[in-house]
Amino acid sequence: MIIQKVGIIGAGTMGNGIAQACAVAGIPVVMVDISEAAVAKGIATVSGSLDRLLKKEKITEADKAAALAKIQGSTHYEDLKQADLVIEAATENQDLKVKILKQLDGMLAPDVIIASNTSSISITQLAAVTSRADRFIGMHFFNPVPMMALVEIIRGLQTSEETHDAVHALATALGKTPITVKNAPGFVVNRILVPMINEALFVLSEGLATPDDIDAGMKLGCNQPIGPLALADMIGLDVCLAVMEVYLKEFGDSKYRPCPLLKELVAAGRLGRKTGHGVYQY
């Protein structure tokens, strides 16, 4: 199976990033969200991202125009019916994802593949709420999608070889480097990364060092391009908390206990860059 058109649920950070990656690769995409304003904001974000590439002379005006022409914004799920693959990129909330997946499953043709961009929720469990578990897969992109080369392709227990191969080929066509992983909470990258971020917040809450010094230590001592606290703000502290809560629930191991400071920041609405204030102020 060759994926020639992609549908995306969600025009937020991940959704519009995936849309841009598809469009730049010449693959038509339909990006759906609940309101016209959300869709317009998503397309404007893509346009701004392409403008930055244009300024750096990495693309031309013609390239930008061609990419934007490949993106169709919509508030109607019916517009996804022509897609060969629909990627769910909604908020990291299991109940919401299940609701969306059931709606998609009921309206899409039986041979359409559904993928979830979840960063922590079980692909096997999500697949089980559909009637096409063999054509369900995890496709975990990383933020910012246009810049990050990695895509984790997560096989649920039921995922077929044909589905895996089609999605793997698409990821390669997008210019990404896919890695295939088994289904488990957090998969591979976030299983390692988010507990590290959580530990950095414990270090901060214990007053061992300032945020700047913690991040400088990890950048200079471990050759990381961005410190864990700045990265937490980029990811979203609410997302980090949600992931840690999934780990604690699924593994039942206290080492995955979310840092109280992380919970406090989220409760205060300090979610990171998207709210202008997280560990750092923006």
Side-chain angles (χ1 to χ4, degrees):
M1 178 181 178
I2 298 174
I3 296 169
Q4 297 179 313
K5 187 170 186 176
V6 173
I8 300 170
I9 301 291
T13 300
M14 298 307 294
N16 68 58
I18 298 167
Q20 178 178 332
C22 291
V24 168
I27 298 169
V29 59
V30 181
M31 182 171 64
V32 175
D33 212 313
I34 57 174
S35 70
E36 294 285 357
V39 172
K41 183 178 179 181
I43 292 176
T45 299
V46 173
S47 181
S49 177
L50 293 172
D51 280 338
R52 288 190 290 275
L53 293 175
L54 184 62
K55 188 175 181 180
K56 295 177 182 178
E57 299 184 346
K58 292 187 176 182
I59 62 171
T60 65
E61 284 281 6
D63 293 332
K64 177 187 174 183
L68 289 175
K70 293 287 185 183
I71 302 175
Q72 174 190 349
S74 175
T75 57
H76 304 292
Y77 275 36
E78 290 76 15
D79 290 329
L80 298 166
K81 288 184 176 180
Q82 301 304 314
D84 302 305
L85 164 72
V86 176
I87 303 171
E88 171 274 309
T91 303
E92 192 72 354
N93 177 289
Q94 185 163 343
D95 292 340
L96 175 62
K97 288 183 184 293
V98 167
K99 180 181 177 182
I100 290 170
L101 294 174
K102 286 182 176 179
Q103 188 173 348
L104 286 174
D105 187 48
M107 59 164 285
L108 296 174
D111 60 337
V112 176
I113 296 171
I114 299 178
S116 176
N117 183 56
T118 179
S119 56
S120 62
I121 300 169
S122 168
I123 296 301
T124 297
Q125 191 172 356
L126 291 177
V129 306
T130 75
S131 63
R132 63 188 79 212
D134 60 322
R135 289 180 298 286
F136 192 95
I137 198 164
M139 199 175 187
H140 182 210
F141 290 83
F142 289 78
N143 184 31
V145 177
M147 306 301 296
M148 299 296 281
L150 180 66
V151 178
E152 278 184 314
I153 296 177
I154 305 102
R155 302 185 66 154
L157 184 65
Q158 317 94 316
T159 305
S160 71
E161 198 70 35
E162 181 184 22
T163 296
H164 168 268
D165 292 349
V167 170
H168 192 282
L170 173 68
T172 302
L174 298 182
K176 305 300 184 186
T177 301
I179 62 170
T180 300
V181 306
K182 293 181 180 179
N183 182 63
F187 317 127
V188 170
V189 175
N190 279 350
R191 171 78 175 274
I192 299 167
L193 175 66
V194 182
M196 181 192 74
I197 289 173
N198 193 55
E199 193 64 25
L201 282 155
F202 270 116
V203 168
L204 177 63
S205 69
E206 291 167 17
L208 300 184
T210 65
D212 284 334
D213 283 349
I214 292 168
D215 280 352
M218 294 304 291
K219 287 164 67 179
L220 301 175
C222 299
N223 204 29
Q224 295 184 357
I226 183 172
L229 298 177
L231 181 57
D233 277 353
M234 180 184 293
I235 293 169
L237 297 181
D238 53 335
V239 176
C240 293
L241 176 58
V243 171
M244 289 304 298
E245 287 175 336
V246 168
Y247 293 169
L248 184 62
K249 177 184 176 183
E250 294 297 324
F251 290 115
D253 190 327
S254 62
K255 75 178 182 180
Y256 296 113
R257 177 173 65 95
C259 176
L261 176 60
L262 174 59
K263 297 168 75 172
E264 190 78 356
L265 289 168
V266 171
R270 296 182 180 180
L271 309 183
R273 291 191 182 188
K274 59 188 172 186
T275 60
H277 199 172
V279 175
Y280 297 98
Q281 195 155 2
Y282 299 89

